[in-house]
Amino acid sequence: MIQLAEGLLLNLCIVITATYLLSLTYTTWRTEHSRKRIVFRTAIAAFSSMFLMAQAVPLSNGTLLDLRTLPLTLITLKYGMWYGLLAVLMVFVGQGRFWTHFTSEDIAILICYAITCIYRYYATEESEEVPFKSYFYAPMVIFSGLLIYTFNLKSWNFSILPSLLLLYVTNVLGFIAVGSIIHRHLRYLKLTDGLKEEILIDPLTRVYNRRQFELDKPGMHSGDAILILDIDDFKKVNDTHGHATGDEVLKELARRLMLTVRQSDRVYRLGGEEFAVYLKNCPSEYLSMIAGRIKDRIYEERFDTVGRVSVSGGLVRLTPEVDITEAFQQADAYLYQAKRSGKNRIITSI
């Protein structure tokens, strides 16, 4: 019994170590859509399962006890039946298993896989992801099936029951432990993502702020364009209607900018009533049309309370000779030129 406890403890340490390494492959808390990354995690689970088999503890009656089903169960519960099946097949192929050479341990893997698929089906009826609380109940259900199968396989030999109960408890605790490791890592990523958003998103308009603009500048290259916009007579809006109304104008203008640009473009609030629009890899023949469309959409659709609002701007395209720093300075100069020449216009050299 002591040998079994030591062997299962070693198995548990292996599982926790593999899970920690697997958690490092998560770079976002959002639902994973990269198939290559999920397949990589599936391969880690399969390799871990095979390694656990090599550390199995033999009992006097020839029964091998280990946590081989735990990584496979976790992958199946997390990513669904197809990735779980892939992990199981990887184990069988890695062990040289074929249909005519199946062992009772292989059947135990398939039983746990089948129970996990059924459990996941009911656990995800109301959501795409398995709720975290389900990770506490899942192992109790899944490994109960393993316990019953193994006990029945030994013709209900009660002398082996303490060993099987120890295996059951270790599987349950191990599953909860590895689930918690991944959950805590995802929670950390979510908190970090929230902090990044607070730092890089303008709290009023919910578009990117100047700090994000400075971070993005090195990635702006020839073929891209920068449009600098400033609301005309914004001081009058604040003086006449109050700063609360002015804030609503800023939020509405940012919303219209986001609705007008492409998904690959970016909108920034540089400060006050000044905005920048980064147009990525846009053909020069369309730039003036896009800038005009942005200006017209802002002016033609009336704002609540204040009526029409216009903007002036400067548009510059980046070239091998004109980098983002020079383009920004030139666009800013065009902006002030547009202000002096009558407002509600975009000036560009394109």
Side-chain angles (χ1 to χ4, degrees):
M1 196 69 174
I2 295 177
Q3 182 184 1
L4 175 60
E6 291 176 346
L8 291 179
L9 181 61
L10 175 61
N11 270 230
L12 188 58
C13 292
I14 293 171
V15 169
I16 291 175
T17 301
T19 303
Y20 173 75
L21 295 175
L22 185 144
S23 71
L24 298 180
T25 67
Y26 288 88
T27 56
T28 177
W29 58 273
R30 294 178 173 83
T31 302
E32 185 68 70
H33 295 292
S34 172
R35 291 185 178 179
K36 290 183 179 179
R37 189 167 295 181
I38 298 176
V39 169
F40 177 69
R41 292 170 188 153
T42 301
I44 292 178
F47 177 79
S48 300
S49 181
M50 288 186 283
F51 191 70
L52 290 168
M53 292 179 194
Q55 309 301 319
V57 182
L59 298 182
S60 56
N61 60 8
T63 303
L64 294 175
L65 299 184
D66 54 59
L67 304 184
R68 70 181 69 189
T69 59
L70 203 158
L72 307 179
T73 301
L74 186 67
I75 283 293
T76 306
L77 189 64
K78 177 69 177 173
Y79 296 114
M81 62 179 294
W82 296 116
Y83 288 107
L85 180 60
L86 177 60
V88 170
L89 292 177
M90 285 181 178
V91 171
F92 288 166
V93 171
Q95 293 293 309
R97 298 283 196 254
F98 301 96
W99 296 111
T100 55
H101 296 88
F102 265 25
T103 65
S104 58
E105 287 81 8
D106 298 330
I107 296 175
I109 289 177
L110 292 175
I111 289 174
C112 286
Y113 166 72
I115 297 174
T116 307
C117 289
I118 296 171
Y119 184 92
R120 189 181 193 280
Y121 174 78
Y122 287 103
T124 56
E125 280 187 318
E126 297 181 357
S127 62
E128 183 180 351
E129 290 279 329
V130 177
F132 176 64
K133 64 180 181 179
S134 294
Y135 282 81
F136 288 93
Y137 307 127
M140 300 177 191
V141 175
I142 296 166
F143 297 119
S144 291
L146 177 63
L147 175 64
I148 294 171
Y149 167 74
T150 308
F151 199 30
N152 181 62
L153 188 66
K154 299 303 175 182
S155 302
W156 298 88
N157 182 0
F158 284 91
S159 65
I160 199 177
L161 183 58
S163 299
L164 294 182
L165 288 175
L166 181 60
L167 175 65
Y168 172 79
V169 171
T170 308
N171 267 308
V172 171
L173 294 179
F175 192 95
I176 293 174
V178 298
S180 297
I181 290 173
I182 295 176
H183 175 73
R184 286 180 180 276
H185 184 71
L186 293 177
R187 187 179 175 186
Y188 167 78
L189 290 174
K190 187 174 183 178
L191 290 172
T192 304
D193 204 27
L195 290 174
K196 287 181 180 178
E197 182 174 301
E198 290 299 319
I199 294 172
L200 302 175
I201 299 292
D202 177 60
L204 176 65
T205 60
R206 307 310 297 170
V207 298
Y208 292 112
N209 60 19
R210 184 154 200 145
R211 185 179 286 108
Q212 181 67 67
F213 179 71
E214 294 298 329
L215 292 174
D216 289 346
K217 282 171 68 174
M220 300 178 184
H221 304 295
S222 177
D224 302 336
I226 189 73
L227 171 64
I228 307 297
L229 297 169
D230 190 90
I231 301 176
D232 296 327
D233 303 314
F234 187 67
K235 186 176 183 302
K236 291 183 180 179
V237 173
N238 281 330
D239 292 344
T240 304
H241 301 282
H243 289 279
T245 299
D247 288 347
E248 292 301 317
V249 169
L250 291 171
K251 289 193 287 187
E252 175 61 20
L253 185 138
R255 188 187 70 84
R256 294 185 188 184
L257 288 175
M258 290 298 297
L259 290 174
T260 307
V261 301
R262 302 167 302 171
Q263 191 172 4
S264 59
D265 302 329
R266 283 196 164 189
V267 176
Y268 308 87
R269 184 188 178 197
L270 300 180
E273 66 270 27
E274 187 175 21
F275 291 81
V277 180
Y278 166 55
L279 302 167
K280 183 176 177 61
N281 194 26
C282 186
S284 57
E285 59 267 26
Y286 296 118
L287 282 174
S288 296
M289 179 187 69
I290 292 172
R293 185 175 65 191
I294 291 173
K295 175 184 70 68
D296 292 341
R297 181 164 193 169
I298 293 171
Y299 182 73
E300 290 173 0
E301 299 178 25
R302 297 177 65 88
F303 285 67
D304 294 339
T305 309
V306 300
R308 295 189 187 279
V309 171
S310 66
V311 295
S312 299
L315 173 67
V316 177
R317 189 168 189 263
L318 281 68
T319 66
E321 296 77 27
V322 180
D323 62 13
I324 180 57
T325 300
E326 187 176 347
F328 182 83
Q329 293 173 349
Q330 186 62 58
D332 204 42
Y334 286 156
L335 164 63
Y336 286 102
Q337 185 179 339
K339 292 279 190 182
R340 291 193 298 268
S341 59
K343 304 176 182 177
N344 194 25
R345 64 191 62 199
I346 305 291
I347 293 184
T348 179
S349 58
I350 300 172

PDB file of all heavy atoms in Angstrom, residues 233-258:
ATOM      1  N   ASP A 233     -14.646  73.941 -33.560  1.00  0.00           N
ATOM      2  CA  ASP A 233     -15.371  74.770 -32.570  1.00  0.00           C
ATOM      3  C   ASP A 233     -15.889  73.941 -31.393  1.00  0.00           C
ATOM      4  O   ASP A 233     -16.993  74.161 -30.884  1.00  0.00           O
ATOM      5  CB  ASP A 233     -16.549  75.491 -33.249  1.00  0.00           C
ATOM      6  CG  ASP A 233     -16.091  76.358 -34.413  1.00  0.00           C
ATOM      7  OD1 ASP A 233     -15.092  77.091 -34.240  1.00  0.00           O
ATOM      8  OD2 ASP A 233     -16.725  76.296 -35.476  1.00  0.00           O
ATOM      9  N   PHE A 234     -15.069  73.004 -30.935  1.00  0.00           N
ATOM     10  CA  PHE A 234     -15.506  72.153 -29.833  1.00  0.00           C
ATOM     11  C   PHE A 234     -15.645  72.936 -28.528  1.00  0.00           C
ATOM     12  O   PHE A 234     -16.468  72.610 -27.680  1.00  0.00           O
ATOM     13  CB  PHE A 234     -14.536  70.989 -29.644  1.00  0.00           C
ATOM     14  CG  PHE A 234     -14.984  69.972 -28.640  1.00  0.00           C
ATOM     15  CD1 PHE A 234     -16.096  69.172 -28.883  1.00  0.00           C
ATOM     16  CD2 PHE A 234     -14.313  69.823 -27.433  1.00  0.00           C
ATOM     17  CE1 PHE A 234     -16.522  68.237 -27.949  1.00  0.00           C
ATOM     18  CE2 PHE A 234     -14.728  68.890 -26.494  1.00  0.00           C
ATOM     19  CZ  PHE A 234     -15.841  68.090 -26.758  1.00  0.00           C
ATOM     20  N   LYS A 235     -14.851  73.987 -28.397  1.00  0.00           N
ATOM     21  CA  LYS A 235     -14.938  74.810 -27.183  1.00  0.00           C
ATOM     22  C   LYS A 235     -16.335  75.428 -27.042  1.00  0.00           C
ATOM     23  O   LYS A 235     -16.876  75.535 -25.935  1.00  0.00           O
ATOM     24  CB  LYS A 235     -13.876  75.902 -27.209  1.00  0.00           C
ATOM     25  CG  LYS A 235     -13.784  76.724 -25.914  1.00  0.00           C
ATOM     26  CD  LYS A 235     -12.647  77.714 -25.996  1.00  0.00           C
ATOM     27  CE  LYS A 235     -12.505  78.479 -24.667  1.00  0.00           C
ATOM     28  NZ  LYS A 235     -13.716  79.196 -24.272  1.00  0.00           N
ATOM     29  N   LYS A 236     -16.935  75.792 -28.179  1.00  0.00           N
ATOM     30  CA  LYS A 236     -18.282  76.353 -28.142  1.00  0.00           C
ATOM     31  C   LYS A 236     -19.305  75.328 -27.653  1.00  0.00           C
ATOM     32  O   LYS A 236     -20.265  75.671 -26.966  1.00  0.00           O
ATOM     33  CB  LYS A 236     -18.687  76.864 -29.529  1.00  0.00           C
ATOM     34  CG  LYS A 236     -17.920  78.101 -29.978  1.00  0.00           C
ATOM     35  CD  LYS A 236     -18.434  78.568 -31.333  1.00  0.00           C
ATOM     36  CE  LYS A 236     -17.681  79.821 -31.816  1.00  0.00           C
ATOM     37  NZ  LYS A 236     -18.158  80.266 -33.141  1.00  0.00           N
ATOM     38  N   VAL A 237     -19.083  74.066 -28.045  1.00  0.00           N
ATOM     39  CA  VAL A 237     -19.985  73.002 -27.600  1.00  0.00           C
ATOM     40  C   VAL A 237     -19.942  72.897 -26.074  1.00  0.00           C
ATOM     41  O   VAL A 237     -20.983  72.843 -25.404  1.00  0.00           O
ATOM     42  CB  VAL A 237     -19.595  71.651 -28.239  1.00  0.00           C
ATOM     43  CG1 VAL A 237     -20.432  70.518 -27.632  1.00  0.00           C
ATOM     44  CG2 VAL A 237     -19.786  71.694 -29.747  1.00  0.00           C
ATOM     45  N   ASN A 238     -18.751  72.894 -25.516  1.00  0.00           N
ATOM     46  CA  ASN A 238     -18.613  72.807 -24.057  1.00  0.00           C
ATOM     47  C   ASN A 238     -19.172  74.041 -23.354  1.00  0.00           C
ATOM     48  O   ASN A 238     -19.857  73.936 -22.332  1.00  0.00           O
ATOM     49  CB  ASN A 238     -17.144  72.633 -23.683  1.00  0.00           C
ATOM     50  CG  ASN A 238     -16.661  71.201 -23.880  1.00  0.00           C
ATOM     51  OD1 ASN A 238     -17.434  70.250 -23.765  1.00  0.00           O
ATOM     52  ND2 ASN A 238     -15.380  71.044 -24.185  1.00  0.00           N
ATOM     53  N   ASP A 239     -18.879  75.218 -23.917  1.00  0.00           N
ATOM     54  CA  ASP A 239     -19.335  76.456 -23.290  1.00  0.00           C
ATOM     55  C   ASP A 239     -20.849  76.610 -23.359  1.00  0.00           C
ATOM     56  O   ASP A 239     -21.480  77.121 -22.425  1.00  0.00           O
ATOM     57  CB  ASP A 239     -18.664  77.669 -23.963  1.00  0.00           C
ATOM     58  CG  ASP A 239     -17.166  77.722 -23.684  1.00  0.00           C
ATOM     59  OD1 ASP A 239     -16.725  77.027 -22.748  1.00  0.00           O
ATOM     60  OD2 ASP A 239     -16.450  78.435 -24.413  1.00  0.00           O
ATOM     61  N   THR A 240     -21.453  76.167 -24.471  1.00  0.00           N
ATOM     62  CA  THR A 240     -22.892  76.343 -24.681  1.00  0.00           C
ATOM     63  C   THR A 240     -23.724  75.253 -24.010  1.00  0.00           C
ATOM     64  O   THR A 240     -24.759  75.528 -23.384  1.00  0.00           O
ATOM     65  CB  THR A 240     -23.219  76.370 -26.192  1.00  0.00           C
ATOM     66  OG1 THR A 240     -22.438  77.391 -26.821  1.00  0.00           O
ATOM     67  CG2 THR A 240     -24.701  76.638 -26.419  1.00  0.00           C
ATOM     68  N   HIS A 241     -23.269  74.011 -24.144  1.00  0.00           N
ATOM     69  CA  HIS A 241     -24.083  72.870 -23.700  1.00  0.00           C
ATOM     70  C   HIS A 241     -23.529  72.171 -22.464  1.00  0.00           C
ATOM     71  O   HIS A 241     -24.204  71.308 -21.899  1.00  0.00           O
ATOM     72  CB  HIS A 241     -24.207  71.854 -24.837  1.00  0.00           C
ATOM     73  CG  HIS A 241     -24.820  72.415 -26.081  1.00  0.00           C
ATOM     74  ND1 HIS A 241     -26.172  72.607 -26.224  1.00  0.00           N
ATOM     75  CD2 HIS A 241     -24.237  72.844 -27.233  1.00  0.00           C
ATOM     76  CE1 HIS A 241     -26.411  73.114 -27.434  1.00  0.00           C
ATOM     77  NE2 HIS A 241     -25.253  73.269 -28.062  1.00  0.00           N
ATOM     78  N   GLY A 242     -22.324  72.516 -22.071  1.00  0.00           N
ATOM     79  CA  GLY A 242     -21.731  71.878 -20.893  1.00  0.00           C
ATOM     80  C   GLY A 242     -20.796  70.735 -21.264  1.00  0.00           C
ATOM     81  O   GLY A 242     -20.871  70.167 -22.358  1.00  0.00           O
ATOM     82  N   HIS A 243     -19.916  70.390 -20.337  1.00  0.00           N
ATOM     83  CA  HIS A 243     -18.916  69.362 -20.609  1.00  0.00           C
ATOM     84  C   HIS A 243     -19.526  67.963 -20.713  1.00  0.00           C
ATOM     85  O   HIS A 243     -18.981  67.101 -21.425  1.00  0.00           O
ATOM     86  CB  HIS A 243     -17.845  69.382 -19.514  1.00  0.00           C
ATOM     87  CG  HIS A 243     -16.946  70.577 -19.585  1.00  0.00           C
ATOM     88  ND1 HIS A 243     -15.881  70.661 -20.447  1.00  0.00           N
ATOM     89  CD2 HIS A 243     -16.965  71.768 -18.914  1.00  0.00           C
ATOM     90  CE1 HIS A 243     -15.267  71.819 -20.301  1.00  0.00           C
ATOM     91  NE2 HIS A 243     -15.909  72.518 -19.383  1.00  0.00           N
ATOM     92  N   ALA A 244     -20.635  67.734 -20.043  1.00  0.00           N
ATOM     93  CA  ALA A 244     -21.284  66.421 -20.156  1.00  0.00           C
ATOM     94  C   ALA A 244     -21.755  66.173 -21.587  1.00  0.00           C
ATOM     95  O   ALA A 244     -21.576  65.073 -22.136  1.00  0.00           O
ATOM     96  CB  ALA A 244     -22.463  66.328 -19.189  1.00  0.00           C
ATOM     97  N   THR A 245     -22.326  67.206 -22.202  1.00  0.00           N
ATOM     98  CA  THR A 245     -22.752  67.094 -23.601  1.00  0.00           C
ATOM     99  C   THR A 245     -21.534  66.959 -24.502  1.00  0.00           C
ATOM    100  O   THR A 245     -21.550  66.187 -25.482  1.00  0.00           O
ATOM    101  CB  THR A 245     -23.572  68.333 -24.014  1.00  0.00           C
ATOM    102  OG1 THR A 245     -24.735  68.404 -23.194  1.00  0.00           O
ATOM    103  CG2 THR A 245     -23.989  68.250 -25.477  1.00  0.00           C
ATOM    104  N   GLY A 246     -20.475  67.700 -24.187  1.00  0.00           N
ATOM    105  CA  GLY A 246     -19.239  67.572 -24.962  1.00  0.00           C
ATOM    106  C   GLY A 246     -18.692  66.161 -24.934  1.00  0.00           C
ATOM    107  O   GLY A 246     -18.220  65.632 -25.953  1.00  0.00           O
ATOM    108  N   ASP A 247     -18.780  65.522 -23.780  1.00  0.00           N
ATOM    109  CA  ASP A 247     -18.322  64.131 -23.671  1.00  0.00           C
ATOM    110  C   ASP A 247     -19.166  63.204 -24.544  1.00  0.00           C
ATOM    111  O   ASP A 247     -18.640  62.268 -25.168  1.00  0.00           O
ATOM    112  CB  ASP A 247     -18.398  63.666 -22.214  1.00  0.00           C
ATOM    113  CG  ASP A 247     -17.326  64.307 -21.339  1.00  0.00           C
ATOM    114  OD1 ASP A 247     -16.383  64.904 -21.897  1.00  0.00           O
ATOM    115  OD2 ASP A 247     -17.457  64.219 -20.096  1.00  0.00           O
ATOM    116  N   GLU A 248     -20.469  63.458 -24.592  1.00  0.00           N
ATOM    117  CA  GLU A 248     -21.346  62.638 -25.433  1.00  0.00           C
ATOM    118  C   GLU A 248     -21.004  62.804 -26.904  1.00  0.00           C
ATOM    119  O   GLU A 248     -21.062  61.846 -27.684  1.00  0.00           O
ATOM    120  CB  GLU A 248     -22.809  62.997 -25.185  1.00  0.00           C
ATOM    121  CG  GLU A 248     -23.320  62.605 -23.807  1.00  0.00           C
ATOM    122  CD  GLU A 248     -23.194  61.118 -23.547  1.00  0.00           C
ATOM    123  OE1 GLU A 248     -23.505  60.321 -24.464  1.00  0.00           O
ATOM    124  OE2 GLU A 248     -22.770  60.750 -22.432  1.00  0.00           O
ATOM    125  N   VAL A 249     -20.634  64.026 -27.299  1.00  0.00           N
ATOM    126  CA  VAL A 249     -20.226  64.282 -28.685  1.00  0.00           C
ATOM    127  C   VAL A 249     -18.959  63.490 -29.005  1.00  0.00           C
ATOM    128  O   VAL A 249     -18.838  62.868 -30.070  1.00  0.00           O
ATOM    129  CB  VAL A 249     -20.002  65.786 -28.915  1.00  0.00           C
ATOM    130  CG1 VAL A 249     -19.326  66.032 -30.280  1.00  0.00           C
ATOM    131  CG2 VAL A 249     -21.319  66.540 -28.853  1.00  0.00           C
ATOM    132  N   LEU A 250     -18.006  63.494 -28.098  1.00  0.00           N
ATOM    133  CA  LEU A 250     -16.764  62.748 -28.303  1.00  0.00           C
ATOM    134  C   LEU A 250     -17.030  61.253 -28.444  1.00  0.00           C
ATOM    135  O   LEU A 250     -16.463  60.577 -29.312  1.00  0.00           O
ATOM    136  CB  LEU A 250     -15.804  62.998 -27.138  1.00  0.00           C
ATOM    137  CG  LEU A 250     -15.203  64.407 -27.029  1.00  0.00           C
ATOM    138  CD1 LEU A 250     -14.457  64.557 -25.718  1.00  0.00           C
ATOM    139  CD2 LEU A 250     -14.276  64.696 -28.205  1.00  0.00           C
ATOM    140  N   LYS A 251     -17.915  60.726 -27.601  1.00  0.00           N
ATOM    141  CA  LYS A 251     -18.230  59.298 -27.666  1.00  0.00           C
ATOM    142  C   LYS A 251     -18.944  58.945 -28.966  1.00  0.00           C
ATOM    143  O   LYS A 251     -18.640  57.915 -29.580  1.00  0.00           O
ATOM    144  CB  LYS A 251     -19.092  58.896 -26.456  1.00  0.00           C
ATOM    145  CG  LYS A 251     -18.327  58.888 -25.140  1.00  0.00           C
ATOM    146  CD  LYS A 251     -19.097  58.204 -24.024  1.00  0.00           C
ATOM    147  CE  LYS A 251     -20.245  59.056 -23.530  1.00  0.00           C
ATOM    148  NZ  LYS A 251     -20.896  58.463 -22.333  1.00  0.00           N
ATOM    149  N   GLU A 252     -19.868  59.809 -29.381  1.00  0.00           N
ATOM    150  CA  GLU A 252     -20.599  59.540 -30.622  1.00  0.00           C
ATOM    151  C   GLU A 252     -19.678  59.648 -31.826  1.00  0.00           C
ATOM    152  O   GLU A 252     -19.768  58.849 -32.768  1.00  0.00           O
ATOM    153  CB  GLU A 252     -21.774  60.510 -30.747  1.00  0.00           C
ATOM    154  CG  GLU A 252     -22.551  60.419 -32.060  1.00  0.00           C
ATOM    155  CD  GLU A 252     -23.179  59.055 -32.295  1.00  0.00           C
ATOM    156  OE1 GLU A 252     -23.351  58.287 -31.325  1.00  0.00           O
ATOM    157  OE2 GLU A 252     -23.506  58.761 -33.463  1.00  0.00           O
ATOM    158  N   LEU A 253     -18.784  60.619 -31.819  1.00  0.00           N
ATOM    159  CA  LEU A 253     -17.850  60.760 -32.935  1.00  0.00           C
ATOM    160  C   LEU A 253     -16.934  59.537 -33.029  1.00  0.00           C
ATOM    161  O   LEU A 253     -16.682  59.025 -34.127  1.00  0.00           O
ATOM    162  CB  LEU A 253     -17.019  62.034 -32.758  1.00  0.00           C
ATOM    163  CG  LEU A 253     -16.092  62.368 -33.928  1.00  0.00           C
ATOM    164  CD1 LEU A 253     -16.129  63.861 -34.238  1.00  0.00           C
ATOM    165  CD2 LEU A 253     -14.656  61.948 -33.620  1.00  0.00           C
ATOM    166  N   ALA A 254     -16.447  59.066 -31.880  1.00  0.00           N
ATOM    167  CA  ALA A 254     -15.601  57.875 -31.884  1.00  0.00           C
ATOM    168  C   ALA A 254     -16.368  56.669 -32.428  1.00  0.00           C
ATOM    169  O   ALA A 254     -15.818  55.850 -33.179  1.00  0.00           O
ATOM    170  CB  ALA A 254     -15.097  57.594 -30.469  1.00  0.00           C
ATOM    171  N   ARG A 255     -17.638  56.560 -32.049  1.00  0.00           N
ATOM    172  CA  ARG A 255     -18.463  55.446 -32.543  1.00  0.00           C
ATOM    173  C   ARG A 255     -18.599  55.496 -34.055  1.00  0.00           C
ATOM    174  O   ARG A 255     -18.483  54.479 -34.741  1.00  0.00           O
ATOM    175  CB  ARG A 255     -19.840  55.495 -31.886  1.00  0.00           C
ATOM    176  CG  ARG A 255     -20.724  54.290 -32.173  1.00  0.00           C
ATOM    177  CD  ARG A 255     -22.121  54.486 -31.642  1.00  0.00           C
ATOM    178  NE  ARG A 255     -22.840  55.492 -32.417  1.00  0.00           N
ATOM    179  CZ  ARG A 255     -23.494  55.229 -33.563  1.00  0.00           C
ATOM    180  NH1 ARG A 255     -23.498  54.002 -34.048  1.00  0.00           N
ATOM    181  NH2 ARG A 255     -24.130  56.185 -34.188  1.00  0.00           N
ATOM    182  N   ARG A 256     -18.819  56.690 -34.605  1.00  0.00           N
ATOM    183  CA  ARG A 256     -18.972  56.830 -36.061  1.00  0.00           C
ATOM    184  C   ARG A 256     -17.663  56.514 -36.778  1.00  0.00           C
ATOM    185  O   ARG A 256     -17.666  55.923 -37.869  1.00  0.00           O
ATOM    186  CB  ARG A 256     -19.438  58.241 -36.396  1.00  0.00           C
ATOM    187  CG  ARG A 256     -20.841  58.543 -35.886  1.00  0.00           C
ATOM    188  CD  ARG A 256     -21.333  59.907 -36.345  1.00  0.00           C
ATOM    189  NE  ARG A 256     -22.590  60.244 -35.680  1.00  0.00           N
ATOM    190  CZ  ARG A 256     -23.302  61.334 -35.943  1.00  0.00           C
ATOM    191  NH1 ARG A 256     -22.865  62.205 -36.847  1.00  0.00           N
ATOM    192  NH2 ARG A 256     -24.434  61.564 -35.298  1.00  0.00           N
ATOM    193  N   LEU A 257     -16.553  56.902 -36.176  1.00  0.00           N
ATOM    194  CA  LEU A 257     -15.265  56.571 -36.780  1.00  0.00           C
ATOM    195  C   LEU A 257     -15.074  55.055 -36.835  1.00  0.00           C
ATOM    196  O   LEU A 257     -14.644  54.510 -37.860  1.00  0.00           O
ATOM    197  CB  LEU A 257     -14.126  57.206 -35.974  1.00  0.00           C
ATOM    198  CG  LEU A 257     -13.963  58.722 -36.075  1.00  0.00           C
ATOM    199  CD1 LEU A 257     -12.861  59.205 -35.130  1.00  0.00           C
ATOM    200  CD2 LEU A 257     -13.634  59.146 -37.499  1.00  0.00           C
ATOM    201  N   MET A 258     -15.405  54.380 -35.760  1.00  0.00           N
ATOM    202  CA  MET A 258     -15.238  52.930 -35.709  1.00  0.00           C
ATOM    203  C   MET A 258     -16.140  52.228 -36.717  1.00  0.00           C
ATOM    204  O   MET A 258     -15.770  51.197 -37.290  1.00  0.00           O
ATOM    205  CB  MET A 258     -15.540  52.419 -34.298  1.00  0.00           C
ATOM    206  CG  MET A 258     -14.506  52.820 -33.252  1.00  0.00           C
ATOM    207  SD  MET A 258     -12.870  52.148 -33.590  1.00  0.00           S
ATOM    208  CE  MET A 258     -13.189  50.387 -33.481  1.00  0.00           C
TER     209      MET A 258
END
